[in-house]
């Protein structure tokens, strides 16, 4: 059981919470399929979890549609 949901014995490739798990009679071992970004400008950017892709998007706080794939979130205005 993980977060209140019962899973079958065996390998679970991806849970609803983006974990890969192995479930046996001894218990359940899971690891995250995502990495939490840490190196970004926290004053100008924020991280938003993307459940569809099991990762975090680093986005500029004042522009919701810009996504930075390298987690850099530069300070320059990218709308121009």
């Amino acid at each position: 059981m993980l977060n209140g949901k019962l899973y079958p014995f065996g390998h679970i490739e991806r849970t609803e919470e983006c974990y890969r798990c192995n479930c046996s009679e001894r218990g359940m071992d899971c690891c995250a399929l995502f990495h939490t970004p840490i190196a970004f400008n926290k004053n100008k950017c924020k991280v938003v979890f993307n459940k569809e892709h099991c990762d975090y998007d680093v986005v500029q706080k004042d522009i919701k549609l810009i996504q930075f794939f390298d987690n850099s979130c530069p300070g320059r205005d990218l709308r121009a």
Side-chain angles (χ1 to χ4, degrees), residues 8-74:
F9 289 135
H11 179 74
I12 296 102
E13 187 64 30
R14 178 179 159 177
T15 67
E16 293 175 6
E17 293 83 18
C18 296
Y19 288 92
R20 179 176 292 138
C21 300
N22 284 304
C23 185
S24 71
E25 295 165 344
R26 294 180 297 137
M28 195 167 187
D29 296 316
C30 299
C31 61
L33 294 172
F34 54 88
H35 299 281
T36 305
I38 56 171
F40 63 95
N41 185 331
K42 292 174 178 64
N43 293 323
K44 296 184 179 191
C45 306
K46 64 180 177 179
V47 292
V48 179
F49 190 67
N50 184 328
K51 219 173 185 181
E52 180 181 338
H53 296 118
C54 289
D55 64 5
Y56 284 94
D57 296 328
V58 178
V59 296
Q60 198 166 330
K61 287 181 180 178
D62 59 344
I63 306 170
K64 296 181 183 190
L65 299 177
I66 294 179
Q67 178 178 334
F68 301 96
F69 293 101
D70 64 356
N71 294 336
S72 63
C73 192

